[in-house]
Amino acid sequence: MNLRVRNMGADELAGVLDWAASEGWNPGHDDAAPFHATDPEGFFLAEVAGQPVAAISVVNHGADCAFLGLYLCLPDYRGQGIAYALWQHALTHAGARVVGLDGVPDQQENYRKSGFVLTGQTYRFSGTIAGQTDPALRAVRPGDIAMLTDLEARANGYAKPAFMAAWCLDIDTRHTLVLDRDGVAGFVTLRACRAGFKIGPLVAGSMEDGEILIRAAAARAEGQIMMIDVPDDCAPLMAWCEGQGLSVSFNTARMYRGTPPQGGTQIRAIATMELG
C-alpha cells in the first residue's frame, strides 16, 4: 500500500469537516479557521496513492495538555490499519503531554490499548429553549479574551489560550456573550452549525447565571434546535437540561492518557468534542 502520513493545511481541514458532517457530527459553519489556528501542526492526513483517506487531530493546547479529535477514515479504507497508523503518528505530536479525547463508547477498549483511561461521559442535549435577554449581558470585547480564557481554564482544568483567542471573537456565525456585573461573572459562545446551533463553551458561577446565558444564546438562535455538550460531573446543568425537556442525542466517553486535569465546580459545557 502506498501510504503517506502528513500534516493537514487549513483548507484541507475544511474538507475533513465535510467528512465529519457526512458522519453526522454536525460541525459549525466556520470551525476550520479557529481549529487550525489553535495548533497548525496538530492536524494530520493519511493518503493512499495521493488521495486523503483518513484524518486526525492532536492539538497541543499548552505545555502540559493536548486533545485528540477528528479521528475519521473513509468507509472504503477502514479495517486496513490506515487509521491506526495515522493515530500512532499523530500521538507523537503530543510528546509527554496529557492527552484527552471524547470518543464513542464502543471504541473505549481500543483507546485503552493506547493508554487512555475512562474518566467520565459527555452528554449532548438537544432541543429548543425559550430565549430571554438580560441587561447584564453584553457582546464580547477583545480585552475580555484573557479573562475568559482564565475562567474556562479554571472550570475545565487546563488552559486553551490559542483556541480561545480564535474562538471567542465574534463573526457572523459565532457569537460570545458576557455576563458582566461590575466584572465578568460568566460567558457563553453560540455557533451556527450545519443543523441548528451549538453552545460551548459555557462557564458560570451558578446555575442561575448559567440559565441567563443559555437563554440569551437561545434568543439569538430564534427558536432553532440548540445543542449543549455537558460533562456528567456537572449535575446542575444536566438536571436543568432534563427539566427543559431537552433530549440526549448521544454521549461520548471522556478519556485521558496521563493524569487527568482537575476542573472546578462551575457550571460548564465544553466548547467542542474535537478540541475539548
Side-chain angles (χ1 to χ4, degrees), residues 62-87:
D64 299 320
C65 287
F67 207 84
L68 184 153
L70 284 175
Y71 188 39
L72 293 157
C73 186
L74 297 181
D76 289 347
Y77 295 89
R78 294 171 185 169
Q80 301 175 43
I82 295 168
Y84 185 58
L86 181 62
W87 165 284

Side-chain angles (χ1 to χ4, degrees), residues 26-42:
N26 193 25
H29 285 300
D30 294 292
D31 287 353
F35 279 15
H36 201 266
T38 301
D39 180 5
E41 302 302 314

Side-chain angles (χ1 to χ4, degrees), residues 102 122-125 151-153 155-156 160 163-164 167 187-189 191 198-204 207 210 213-214 227-234 237-238 240-241 254 265-273 276:
D102 272 312
T122 302
Y123 290 88
R124 174 162 294 168
F125 287 90
L151 286 175
E152 201 272 345
N156 288 295
K160 312 176 185 75
F163 172 75
M164 292 291 288
W167 192 253
F187 73 98
V188 65
T189 299
R191 84 190 200 268
K198 289 181 183 175
I199 283 177
L202 164 73
V203 178
M207 193 56 243
L213 287 159
I214 293 169
M227 288 144 275
I228 311 175
D229 294 334
V230 185
D232 63 356
D233 62 352
C234 190
L237 183 53
M238 294 267 291
W240 186 88
C241 290
R254 174 59 69 99
T265 59
Q266 296 91 334
I267 302 302
R268 70 193 194 281
I270 67 168
T272 80
M273 290 187 176

Side-chain angles (χ1 to χ4, degrees), residues 153-188:
R154 285 191 274 128
N156 288 295
Y158 58 102
K160 312 176 185 75
F163 172 75
M164 292 291 288
W167 192 253
C168 291
L169 291 180
D170 280 2
I171 61 172
D172 287 345
T173 59
R174 192 171 55 249
H175 300 280
T176 295
L177 297 170
V178 174
L179 185 60
D180 192 342
R181 298 193 184 99
D182 297 321
V184 175
F187 73 98
V188 65

